[in-house]
Amino acid sequence: MTRTRAIAQGEYYHVFNRGTHRMPLVKDKSDWMRFLFLVLYSQSPVIIKNTLRMVQKGSLIDGFPVSLDQHEEIVAKRFVELTAFCLMPNHFHLLLRESEEGGSARYLQKLETAYTMYFNTKYQSTGHVFQGRYKSVHVKDNNQLLYLSAYIHRNPRELTAWRAKEESYPYSSLQDYVDKNRWGSLIVSDIIAGQFGGTTQSNYQDFVRTSTAKILAEELQDILPESI
């Protein structure tokens, strides 16, 4: 059974959560954009002003319009390194490496609090948006790391419109591995992509395509969140 565990600095973790009562976390494109923005830019204590304007003007192809100086400051001060992610209508998956002690907790608190405030304000609601505290599972070895990344990147296959087209899904980091990296140093993919000949090679894409849920379930065991 999956459970929350203490997170250690320098280690990799699978972190995930879902909407309360399995309700959708996003209802329209602006929600997707805000959620994606927060996943990327909550990695450090740097405060980004004019968030609404940036999200509205942001491009899923070219990245959000943050200045180079701000980008570099975020990278220099980040709590965590974001290795892979996938945002789904009612849940999310993140693959993180903790950069400083307590960094993952700070990152998730910043991300979930900001999105909850945005969601409740927009939809004139109150209460929790996420289903309690996020879950985290330690990645024990390289084999597990690779298969976990494939599991995360295959999630869009649950959606009819994206079945067998996960490399084009805009709310996942897979296209940042196999095509153009939209986010630069905000995604630290070398630990995985470097094992497949680099971020622009097809080897990793083939690895993701040929992985199966059955194999992943056997490999990852308690990592797979059955309730999500």
Side-chain angles (χ1 to χ4, degrees):
M1 182 173 67
T2 318
R3 58 186 182 275
T4 302
R5 299 170 180 167
I7 293 180
Q9 185 175 351
E11 297 291 314
Y12 287 91
Y13 291 86
H14 176 203
V15 178
F16 50 92
N17 206 347
R18 69 183 185 196
T20 185
H21 306 303
R22 303 188 184 183
M23 297 295 290
L25 291 168
V26 291
K27 297 185 179 183
D28 60 24
K29 185 176 180 180
S30 62
D31 294 347
W32 283 108
M33 296 289 281
R34 178 62 69 104
F35 198 13
L36 178 61
F37 182 90
L38 290 171
V39 165
L40 292 160
Y41 291 98
S42 297
Q43 297 182 58
S44 85
V46 176
I47 297 174
I48 300 177
K49 299 180 180 179
N50 301 316
T51 300
L52 178 59
R53 178 179 59 81
M54 288 189 180
V55 170
Q56 289 175 335
K57 291 184 177 181
S59 167
L60 290 173
I61 297 176
D62 299 321
F64 291 103
V66 175
S67 71
L68 179 60
D69 287 344
Q70 254 186 334
H71 183 100
E72 292 178 346
E73 185 181 11
I74 291 167
V75 170
K77 296 181 178 179
R78 60 186 166 198
F79 318 128
V80 296
E81 291 180 356
L82 181 61
T83 300
F85 69 87
C86 185
L87 312 183
M88 297 289 284
N90 73 342
H91 67 277
F92 66 85
H93 294 275
L94 308 173
L95 179 54
L96 304 175
R97 179 181 180 273
E98 179 147 312
S99 300
E100 62 177 52
E101 186 175 354
S104 296
R106 294 180 68 186
Y107 169 63
L108 268 296
Q109 181 181 29
K110 184 176 181 180
L111 164 61
E112 292 188 348
T113 298
Y115 190 75
T116 296
M117 291 177 63
Y118 159 81
F119 190 94
N120 284 341
T121 298
K122 179 176 178 178
Y123 295 107
Q124 299 182 347
S125 57
T126 59
H128 298 290
V129 172
F130 297 95
Q131 184 70 52
R133 179 177 170 81
Y134 63 88
K135 302 297 188 297
S136 62
V137 181
H138 181 225
V139 179
K140 299 175 183 177
D141 55 39
N142 185 64
N143 188 57
Q144 189 174 325
L145 181 74
L146 295 179
Y147 277 96
L148 173 58
S149 73
Y151 166 71
I152 290 174
H153 285 144
R154 283 174 61 90
N155 254 246
R157 288 191 169 214
E158 299 175 12
L159 306 174
T160 302
W162 294 99
R163 194 163 294 156
K165 297 187 291 185
E166 61 270 17
E167 65 274 6
S168 300
Y169 186 68
Y171 308 108
S172 150
S173 54
L174 179 56
Q175 64 179 277
D176 305 307
Y177 276 67
V178 302
D179 193 5
K180 179 182 178 181
N181 182 351
R182 299 165 291 174
W183 319 111
S185 300
L186 294 177
I187 300 291
V188 184
S189 60
D190 287 353
I191 186 65
I192 294 170
Q195 299 185 54
F196 293 86
T199 58
T200 60
Q201 301 300 313
S202 63
N203 294 353
Y204 180 71
Q205 185 173 346
D206 291 340
F207 174 71
V208 172
R209 284 177 174 174
T210 57
S211 296
T212 69
K214 181 178 180 181
I215 291 174
L216 287 169
E218 292 171 353
E219 293 287 338
L220 302 176
Q221 297 179 0
D222 67 335
I223 281 187
L224 299 184
E226 295 179 354
S227 58
I228 287 180

